Amino acid sequence: SYELTQPPSVSVSPGQTATITCSGSALPKFYTYWFQQKRGQAPVMVISKDSARPSGIPGRFSASKSGTIVTLTISGVQTEDEADYYCQSTDNTGTYPVFGGGTTLTVL
Amino acid sequence: QLQESGPGLVKPSETLSLTCSVSGGSVASVTYYWGWIRQSAGKGLEWIGSVHSSGNSFYNPSLQSRASISVDTSKNQFSLNLNSVTAADGAVYFCVRRIYSSAWSHEWYFDLWGRGGLVTVSS
């Protein structure tokens, strides 16, 4: 079955830039969405349609796509950004949604 | 807003039933699909399925044989039934809304989530 691959963990210091990747063979064909999930809470979308920022999401969140890899970038990371991040897209048949395994961002 | 409700404890082999109440919008809207996503403890997000008020539906192939989602327009809510549950079905269940457009029918844009409800499967 189709999978989206994310690194299990990323660590950065406050003020630095965090990058989280998501890879999948069908990513060039469909939009990617990014969700932030803090402990005990529901996921919140931080990036929609590859690179758009939903209302209320800080400007330090951005994303880009290059071929089969999409990258979420958090510039000037703050301690409040510590969370799990999930990418989500459509499977290679164009039928079902699929989530990446998630990346835990630790702000040291 | 979306709000999950239902039993927090289900016995093995029985049916898990959850309801999601919708406020601030209508489940009869042609713009949305209504569905469920679950998350086992310490694990990632797993989409279960989504349905439209027209009756069109999609289910995760791995759960299709056990899952059923229905929409009740009179109560403005939708429900999940998952039968023959095992301990592996214990999870936090989120109800979700998908924005749908025929212009990008292959896209799955989950724009609204409930807060989630914990379901434990145990005798």
Side-chain angles (χ1 to χ4, degrees):
Chain A
S1 61
Y2 182 72
E3 293 183 349
L4 296 178
T5 301
Q6 299 180 234
S9 63
V10 169
S11 298
V12 296
S13 298
Q16 290 189 329
T17 296
T19 58
I20 298 173
T21 59
C22 173
S23 65
S25 60
L27 290 179
K29 295 192 288 185
F30 305 111
Y31 286 131
T32 302
Y33 306 84
W34 287 93
F35 293 88
Q36 176 195 68
Q37 185 181 33
K38 297 183 178 179
R39 185 185 297 270
Q41 298 183 19
V44 173
M45 186 179 292
V46 294
I47 295 290
S48 71
K49 296 185 179 180
D50 285 348
S51 59
R53 239 182 1 264
S55 174
I57 301 303
R60 61 181 181 274
F61 288 87
S62 64
S64 61
K65 179 184 289 188
S66 178
T68 60
I69 299 176
V70 295
T71 303
L72 173 69
T73 300
I74 310 172
S75 304
V77 167
Q78 301 184 6
T79 55
E80 67 201 50
D81 299 330
E82 189 164 275
D84 292 327
Y85 290 84
Y86 294 90
C87 60
Q88 178 248 310
S89 187
T90 303
D91 79 330
N92 56 345
T93 70
T95 308
Y96 306 115
V98 60
F99 288 89
T103 299
T104 298
L105 175 64
T106 301
V107 182
L108 303 170
Chain B
Q1 285 188 332
L2 304 179
Q3 179 64 57
E4 303 88 352
S5 62
L9 181 64
V10 181
K11 290 182 169 56
S13 81
E14 296 190 344
T15 297
L16 179 160
S17 296
L18 295 172
T19 296
C20 183
S21 298
V22 179
S23 58
S26 172
V27 296
S29 171
V30 299
T31 307
Y32 303 117
Y33 274 72
W34 307 94
W36 296 87
I37 291 170
R38 71 181 182 180
Q39 184 173 37
S40 302
K43 300 291 181 61
L45 300 166
E46 180 180 33
W47 170 74
I48 299 170
S50 299
V51 299
H52 190 268
S53 58
S54 65
N56 199 26
S57 62
F58 294 89
Y59 290 95
N60 187 322
S62 68
L63 294 168
Q64 186 166 6
S65 63
R66 297 194 296 126
S68 175
I69 301 173
S70 59
V71 173
D72 187 336
T73 55
S74 67
K75 296 181 179 179
N76 210 35
Q77 62 187 27
F78 59 100
S79 300
L80 167 70
N81 282 334
L82 184 66
N83 59 37
S84 305
V85 298
T86 68
D89 293 309
V92 174
Y93 285 75
F94 298 98
C95 55
V96 294
R97 184 178 77 179
R98 171 204 184 193
I99 296 179
Y100 174 79
S101 168
S102 59
W104 27 280
S105 60
H106 299 298
E107 297 299 329
W108 288 84
Y109 185 158
F110 297 112
D111 74 315
L112 188 62
W113 295 58
R115 297 179 65 176
L118 176 63
V119 178
T120 301
V121 178
S122 175
S123 55

